[in-house]
Amino acid sequence: MDAPAAVTRTHCPYCALQCGMELRVDSGVPDGADDGINNGTTNGASDGAGNGTRLRVSGWDKFPVNGGALCQKGATATELLAPASRLTSPLIRRSRDAELEAATWDEALDFAAARMSAIAAGHGRDAVGIFGGGGLTHEKAYSLGKFARVVLQTPHIDYNGRFCMSAAAAASQRAFGVDRGLPFPLADVAQTDVILLVGSNLADTMPPALRYFTTQRENGGRLIVVDPRRTRTAEQADLHLQPVPGTDAALAAGLLHVLIAEHLLDEEFIAARTNGFEEVRAEALRWWPERVEAVCGVPAGDVRAAARLFAGADGSGKPARPTTGMVLTARGTEQQADGADAVNAWINLTLAAGKAGRPYCGYGAITGQGNGQGGREHGQKADQLPGYRKITDPAAREHVARVWGVDADSLPGPGRPAVELLASCGTDIRALLVAGSNPVVSAPDAQFVTSRLAALEFLAVCDVVMSETAALADVVFPVTQWAEEAGTMTNLEGRVLLRRKAVDPPEGVRSDLEVLGGLADRLGRPGFLTSPPEIFEELARASAGGVADYSGLSYARLDAASEGPGLHWPCPAPNHPGVPRMFLDAFGTPDGRARFVAVGHEPAVEEPCAEYPYRLTTGRVLAQYQSGAQTRRVPSLNAAAPGPYVQLHPDLAAAVGVSEGDPVRVTSRRGSAVGAALINDLIRPDTVFMPFHWGGAGRANSVTRRTTDPVSGMPAFKTAAVRVEVAR
């Protein structure tokens, strides 16, 4: 399984599409030579071994999600394997005032284990924490959770997926009893009559997915996009709604109000397959379209038009015709202080229209990070054990403890969600291990987070590059990445995939799993598993009987399935085919019925005022990814997106005296960020936008808030009160 092959079928290291790729070894090409391949779908890169081997990447046309298409990030992914952009030796900071310097692996592991052990002995086991990442394989995410609870015996583990999917996950669990990003294959989008896409710009964030929406419209389907900006995705919509950031729950309630007032509800579906509608009906009746317009800034006529379109009505007063429909949400509606409630408001609309539990219907959340789904299913989240089990459930604790060979009473309880975990650094938490994340750039109120990490007594980081977070560390472990190791991932559809190893890592680089194994040995827990297939086999047993049941999966099954459509969880037996489409017969609640959740709209915690009169919202651009730690090292991606910018409406630009290209400072109560002015009428006049891929002066998260959704712990990235001025 580990031996590199001449042609390797694997998956992209970036987003949750996990596009299929074919990697071809092209031996005998000297490092640095021009292989003539740079057409957007194929690239050359050294494999890091320094032996003249290069990898060519192309789309895997038989893989159903992308059908051979790759975005420019995927097409250049092999460039990250070159040793010139990599960490290739462990680094140690031998005293607080010293610089990081190269060390042997034994030195680095000994030093890290000694510091973690001393801090736990002096301050208690809860003084040590772990912060993981949504791009880690199942094997790594599972091992981090086990390492925290068995080796360190600390409750404090969470991950940056809390910034990505937590609001939608909490809302789905409340409504359906199950959280699986898309409970249907992405291909179903193309066959759906009406899609309501909320807070997502797929044209920039997941370009290969856009083809399904293009086909949907070619098939006669209609697309409604909800976004404060007129993005490239919104340009394709039949109807574009531009709400004030942070008002999604009110907008969704307004659409539901129209369904009620115009008798467009699916009363039969509501009666047969749901509970709790009457309380939701009462709340929706308070949100007539004109009130929605006053709060959200969306014209009342557009609210009515969107509701009728989604229900299948033509506005003539006739009953709605039977149509299929989906509501798909993403970070725009989820990253708010009421993120879970906002998502439940959209789910309420879905259920009331009868667009769930049927073919080509349903609610889905578009997972962002590569393994954002799997990362929370198998124990990397503060309150969960493998299989999506609650850590507070005695039966779940007993089951997982048996698999791990420990006493259930020895397992700690729930830890702190990500924002609280990071805020506790330097006080309650004295030592932190970070793997697969760069919170110095990606966390909200990043200036505060940086100060908390700097206040730690000990910080260890596992990374492939010298990220902004690694630069603060006392120990840095250089680790393998996607094409240098085997591992499994779950994409946004719940499709479990096998990533295959294509090349050896550079000399001096080890897997995160070997780091954990080495630390466990030194902390008195020898025998910690480091082989991906063995870890997955244990993960499958630990997940058995859980909501996310992987017990019927194995590397052998996934290796065979990867030649075709893959396998969707739950998959509870070796002969089980998996479940591509959930909820067709019953929802995942005890009684099998979906639950309406009565939610209201509350004004944002931080509304504009005289000192900070505008709203900031953040997001991504096509050529960069997440904190940019990797993509900012690819020349062609930097050429396409060289730095941060501030998007402003012409009216706002004129009001503050900003011209195109001027350096613009955006300031909140927490800090400032600077970017070049991008002036157009594609954004609301009261709102500015910044991408969040850069550190330094252009770090957008210096401005964002640590305020979190009380249900899910999701930070309110999308709403901050700011002032805007030319940067002098």
Side-chain angles (χ1 to χ4, degrees):
M1 187 71 64
D2 284 342
V7 177
T8 305
R9 285 178 173 160
T10 189
H11 298 275
C12 180
Y14 291 114
C15 79
L17 286 180
Q18 286 297 288
C19 291
M21 289 178 158
E22 292 186 334
L23 303 179
R24 288 173 170 78
V25 175
D26 183 11
S27 299
V29 180
D31 285 345
D34 182 2
D35 65 3
I37 299 174
N38 189 17
N39 61 7
T41 58
T42 313
N43 242 303
S46 167
D47 69 356
N51 58 9
T53 301
R54 294 169 69 85
L55 280 181
R56 298 166 181 256
V57 58
S58 58
W60 175 8
D61 60 3
K62 299 296 184 185
F63 186 67
V65 174
N66 62 312
L70 294 176
C71 75
Q72 62 195 103
K73 293 188 292 289
T76 58
T78 54
E79 295 187 30
L80 297 172
L81 303 172
S85 61
R86 301 284 295 283
L87 293 167
T88 56
S89 171
L91 303 172
I92 291 180
R93 194 185 310 276
R94 298 182 187 276
S95 67
R96 297 302 288 180
D97 298 328
E99 298 294 321
L100 286 167
E101 59 182 66
T104 68
W105 270 96
D106 281 339
E107 286 178 318
L109 290 166
D110 288 346
F111 183 69
R115 294 297 298 127
M116 295 167 83
S117 181
I119 289 168
H123 301 284
R125 294 183 179 276
D126 290 8
V128 183
I130 292 178
F131 194 83
L136 298 176
T137 62
H138 293 125
E139 292 78 7
K140 294 179 184 180
Y142 171 85
S143 296
L144 279 176
K146 181 181 176 183
F147 183 83
R149 289 153 182 144
V150 174
V151 179
L152 299 177
Q153 292 186 291
T154 178
H156 296 312
I157 176 170
D158 212 74
Y159 78 128
N160 62 16
R162 182 75 67 172
F163 304 159
C164 174
M165 276 289 294
S166 57
S172 293
Q173 288 175 322
R174 291 198 293 191
F176 306 123
V178 176
D179 156 41
R180 196 181 87 183
L182 298 184
F184 40 75
L186 189 59
D188 284 6
V189 165
Q191 308 303 318
T192 301
D193 292 326
V194 184
I195 296 171
L196 186 55
L197 182 64
V198 187
S200 176
N201 180 18
L202 288 169
D204 282 358
T205 59
M206 293 182 172
L210 202 62
R211 67 193 180 106
Y212 293 107
F213 294 82
T214 301
T215 302
Q216 183 248 1
R217 297 193 66 215
E218 291 172 349
N219 289 341
R222 310 293 292 278
L223 175 64
I224 306 165
V225 170
V226 178
D227 197 311
R229 300 190 300 142
R230 189 162 185 81
T231 63
R232 293 198 302 134
T233 305
E235 291 283 358
Q236 300 192 26
D238 296 280
L239 182 59
H240 175 208
L241 310 181
Q242 288 185 269
V244 171
T247 63
D248 293 70
L251 178 58
L255 269 65
L256 179 53
H257 178 103
V258 176
L259 264 59
I260 296 169
E262 300 189 4
H263 308 290
L264 300 175
L265 299 172
D266 190 329
E267 300 278 10
E268 182 178 346
F269 176 86
I270 292 169
R273 299 200 59 186
T274 73
N275 291 324
F277 180 61
E278 288 311 310
E279 190 175 355
V280 169
R281 183 200 297 266
E283 174 64 23
L285 288 175
R286 299 175 55 239
W287 289 98
W288 58 94
E290 286 73 19
R291 184 186 180 201
V292 171
E293 179 174 353
V295 171
C296 303
V298 176
D302 286 350
V303 174
R304 291 187 173 91
R308 293 164 181 162
L309 184 58
F310 185 65
D314 59 10
S316 65
K318 297 177 181 177
R321 65 182 179 86
T323 57
T324 57
M326 292 178 181
V327 173
L328 305 176
T329 68
R331 306 304 81 76
T333 196
E334 297 159 15
Q335 289 179 332
Q336 299 178 14
D338 64 345
D341 284 357
V343 173
N344 275 120
W346 292 113
I347 293 175
N348 289 340
L349 177 69
T350 311
L351 295 173
K355 312 296 188 190
R358 297 162 46 201
Y360 310 117
C361 287
Y363 163 77
I366 300 173
T367 306
Q369 295 186 85
N371 202 27
Q373 180 77 48
R376 65 182 180 276
E377 290 171 359
H378 297 301
Q380 195 180 192
K381 199 174 175 188
D383 58 349
Q384 288 179 194
L385 290 170
Y388 224 128
R389 288 181 161 92
K390 283 289 184 185
I391 200 168
T392 52
D393 179 358
R397 294 169 64 85
E398 287 287 346
H399 173 83
V400 174
R402 281 196 301 272
V403 174
W404 286 350
V406 299
D407 191 303
D409 291 338
S410 71
L411 298 179
R416 295 171 182 167
V419 173
E420 291 182 34
L421 175 64
L422 293 172
S424 300
C425 288
T427 53
D428 296 347
I429 295 174
R430 308 295 186 97
L432 187 70
L433 171 64
V434 177
S437 186
N438 187 18
V440 166
V441 175
S442 64
D445 197 358
Q447 198 164 296
F448 171 79
V449 169
T450 302
S451 72
R452 292 296 83 218
L453 295 179
L456 286 163
E457 293 180 27
F458 177 73
L459 173 63
V461 173
C462 299
D463 213 329
V464 299
V465 297
M466 181 55 76
S467 68
E468 288 84 353
T469 303
L472 297 178
D474 299 291
V475 174
V476 181
F477 296 110
V479 293
T480 51
Q481 54 176 313
W482 63 291
E484 301 164 350
E485 59 189 8
T488 56
M489 310 284 280
T490 296
N491 81 342
L492 77 171
E493 314 159 297
R495 190 189 299 264
V496 186
L497 307 166
L498 177 63
R499 278 187 181 172
R500 298 172 176 85
K501 181 177 178 179
V503 293
D504 292 322
E507 185 177 352
V509 173
R510 297 184 184 179
S511 166
D512 304 74
L513 300 174
E514 293 175 290
V515 173
L516 296 178
L519 291 174
D521 287 345
R522 290 161 173 81
L523 292 168
R525 289 281 185 173
F528 204 79
L529 294 177
T530 60
S531 164
E534 291 179 3
I535 294 170
F536 189 81
E537 188 276 331
E538 183 179 283
L539 178 158
R541 288 189 287 117
S543 75
V547 173
D549 191 332
Y550 282 38
S551 59
L553 300 175
S554 64
Y555 266 47
R557 282 199 77 187
L558 293 175
D559 194 35
S562 291
E563 300 299 325
L567 293 164
H568 298 74
W569 71 261
C571 187
N575 60 352
H576 193 283
V579 184
R581 295 172 181 84
M582 305 181 80
F583 311 143
L584 295 182
D585 299 316
F587 295 98
T589 56
D591 62 3
R593 298 165 72 93
R595 297 179 288 226
F596 283 93
V597 178
V599 295
H601 164 72
E602 296 293 334
V605 174
E606 187 173 85
E607 287 285 351
C609 62
E611 187 176 1
Y612 303 101
Y614 307 110
R615 288 179 170 86
L616 168 73
T617 189
T618 64
R620 290 187 259 173
V621 298
L622 175 61
Q624 301 288 353
Y625 185 70
Q626 301 298 79
S627 75
Q630 293 172 301
T631 50
R632 285 187 271 122
R633 287 166 167 81
V634 178
S636 62
L637 299 181
N638 275 337
Y645 63 84
V646 180
Q647 183 182 11
L648 312 94
H649 190 277
D651 292 349
L652 193 159
V656 297
V658 171
S659 300
E660 182 76 15
D662 281 351
V664 176
R665 176 172 287 108
V666 178
T667 302
S668 72
R669 292 173 175 84
R670 291 152 297 280
S672 298
V674 177
L678 175 66
I679 302 172
N680 55 49
D681 62 359
L682 305 179
I683 188 168
R684 292 181 54 90
D686 55 6
T687 301
V688 296
F689 169 84
M690 284 194 75
F692 55 67
H693 308 293
W694 289 271
R699 183 175 62 182
N701 280 317
S702 294
V703 185
T704 56
R705 296 188 290 146
R706 280 182 289 133
T707 305
T708 57
D709 168 31
V711 178
S712 66
M714 170 71 85
F717 286 107
K718 301 304 186 195
T719 53
V722 298
R723 67 172 179 263
V724 179
E725 58 202 341
V726 176
R728 302 297 182 188

